[in-house]
Amino acid sequence: MKNRALGPFNVSAIGLGCMNLSHAYGAPVSREQGERVLLAALDAGVTHFDTAALYGFGVNETLVGQVMKPHRQKFTLASKCGMQGVDKGDGTKVRVIDGRPETLKKTCEDALRRLQTEVIDLYYLHRWDKQVPIEDSVGALSDLVRQGKIQAIGLSEVSATTLRRAHAVHPIAAVQTEYSLWTRNPEIAVLQACRDLGVSFVAFSPVARGFLCGPLDIAGFDAKDIRRSMPRFAPEHHAANLRLLPAYNALAHEAGCTPSQLALAWLLHQGQDILPIPGTTSVEHLLDDLGAVDVQLEAYLLTRLGALINQHTVSGDRYNAQANSEVDTETFA
């Protein structure tokens, strides 16, 4: 496994997004299957594991803590606060965005307990709570750094302007945002801002939420699959996007790799400061993804690939109106 810098840390070029094991893409996997995936990643050289308080409303952090505690010194642990589940009073939880300093500090205490660790290496503000100045939220995270509870601060789904404001309060180690061939929003401004400030860029959903891995049965998506609310997977947009896949798969064949590896290799070729974190519930898919570190793409193929799938050729927005209102990321006109 090749390595890259993640803020002050040296980690595997491809990390593991742990969300899929507990959240968002249907029923969570069993603890045994989650353990298989996590340990297979570690055995394969992955040293960057990414979770969040939101994922399964704490279940994912608990899983990571239970499985990975014996191996804590072998990897860099990232988690997130500012978006979590709040008990409605009837035994169920609802997702809320809350960036108040007292909430972030409490969430960190809960995370440390669930993760069974004394310190979280990289702690992100999962979403900027637009009711709270970013300076206040980052100030609270900087308190946690001083207290030794976290080592570095990250931000997720923020604009270049917000990043610069936050960085003026405390150095930001990493920005995490959706980035892939079919989601190019970071290219508008925040990716350049990261480079100006020396901030690493972590790309989530790097294989386009599974679209670039192979055929998807959208009619068979679980009732709780978040893709059901995403415009690109609505039947009319999905049908249009499917027309891109034959040429895309042909490019993967030309490159001598799988479709998933092509998507990840494209990201790795966008800069040494970019770290993809694909997620999966399958050891087979995990090992396929990790093979992307060895895929070398010629300049002409990168050009053809970028021209085939981009913001102009993909049909549908990445988020619905509600989700778009919750992020601070720049958008294309």
Side-chain angles (χ1 to χ4, degrees):
M1 175 58 70
K2 299 170 184 176
N3 287 350
R4 291 188 170 185
L6 173 63
F9 311 106
N10 187 43
V11 303
S12 52
I14 298 177
L16 180 66
C18 301
M19 180 181 77
N20 302 46
L21 300 174
S22 311
H23 185 82
Y25 289 91
V29 300
S30 67
R31 187 201 179 284
E32 292 73 21
Q33 180 60 17
E35 181 175 13
R36 276 192 285 270
V37 172
L38 291 168
L39 295 182
L42 192 66
D43 288 344
V46 173
T47 56
H48 176 199
F49 290 79
D50 183 276
T51 181
L54 175 70
Y55 303 159
F57 299 142
V59 170
N60 195 248
E61 286 183 329
T62 299
L63 172 67
V64 172
Q66 290 174 346
V67 173
M68 303 299 283
K69 181 181 179 181
H71 314 283
R72 183 65 185 89
Q73 301 307 312
K74 299 178 182 178
F75 67 93
T76 295
L77 175 62
S79 194
K80 309 179 196 71
C81 61
M83 185 160 65
Q84 57 272 328
V86 173
D87 199 324
K88 293 169 61 178
D90 60 1
T92 62
K93 292 186 177 181
V94 61
R95 181 178 66 90
V96 299
I97 296 175
D98 186 346
R100 292 175 297 171
E102 60 270 26
T103 300
L104 302 185
K105 291 177 179 180
K106 181 182 184 304
T107 305
C108 181
E109 294 293 344
D110 293 340
L112 289 168
R113 185 183 68 255
R114 289 190 292 257
L115 290 164
Q116 300 188 43
T117 186
E118 294 181 355
V119 60
I120 298 169
D121 300 316
L122 175 58
Y123 205 42
Y124 292 89
L125 185 66
H126 204 159
R127 290 290 186 273
W128 173 35
D129 179 352
K130 298 172 186 177
Q131 305 304 310
V132 179
I134 189 66
E135 292 83 356
D136 291 356
S137 295
V138 172
L141 296 178
S142 70
D143 289 342
L144 294 173
V145 173
R146 284 188 288 272
Q147 293 166 13
K149 294 178 179 179
I150 67 176
Q151 290 198 63
I153 298 173
L155 302 174
S156 180
E157 292 279 12
V158 296
S159 65
T161 298
T162 302
L163 169 60
R164 293 183 189 280
R165 287 172 54 192
H167 195 75
V169 175
H170 188 281
I172 301 301
V175 165
Q176 180 175 144
T177 292
E178 182 176 357
Y179 188 27
S180 68
L181 276 161
W182 85 341
T183 296
R184 304 292 194 90
N185 301 64
E187 296 173 0
I188 299 172
V190 77
L191 185 54
Q192 186 57 54
C194 285
R195 288 169 174 164
D196 292 343
L197 299 170
V199 176
S200 299
F201 190 94
V202 175
F204 75 77
S205 297
V207 293
R209 301 188 184 273
F211 179 77
L212 295 177
C213 297
L216 288 174
D217 176 19
I218 62 171
F221 283 169
D222 185 270
K224 294 184 178 179
D225 193 309
I226 57 172
R227 292 172 292 186
R228 284 189 171 274
S229 68
M230 294 178 173
R232 289 178 183 174
F233 292 99
E236 65 277 14
H237 291 303
H238 186 62
N241 291 327
L242 283 175
R243 301 188 189 108
L244 300 170
L245 288 184
Y248 175 76
N249 290 333
L251 287 175
H253 180 75
E254 186 174 340
C257 65
T258 66
S260 300
Q261 290 171 349
L262 183 62
L264 290 163
W266 178 84
L267 269 171
L268 292 171
H269 280 71
Q270 300 311 300
Q272 286 292 318
D273 53 345
I274 296 176
L275 300 98
I277 50 166
T280 183
T281 59
S282 160
V283 172
E284 180 184 3
H285 291 166
L286 165 71
L287 298 179
D288 180 51
D289 287 345
L290 298 181
V293 297
D294 295 319
V295 175
Q296 295 297 315
L297 301 178
E298 298 292 340
Y300 76 91
L301 199 147
L302 284 167
T303 299
R304 290 164 59 194
L305 189 55
L308 174 65
I309 302 180
N310 56 62
Q311 69 272 20
H312 302 296
T313 63
V314 171
S315 179
D317 202 352
R318 70 178 181 123
Y319 283 147
N320 61 20
Q322 172 63 33
N324 273 328
S325 73
E326 296 176 348
V327 299
D328 179 49
T329 316
E330 290 92 354
T331 59
F332 291 101

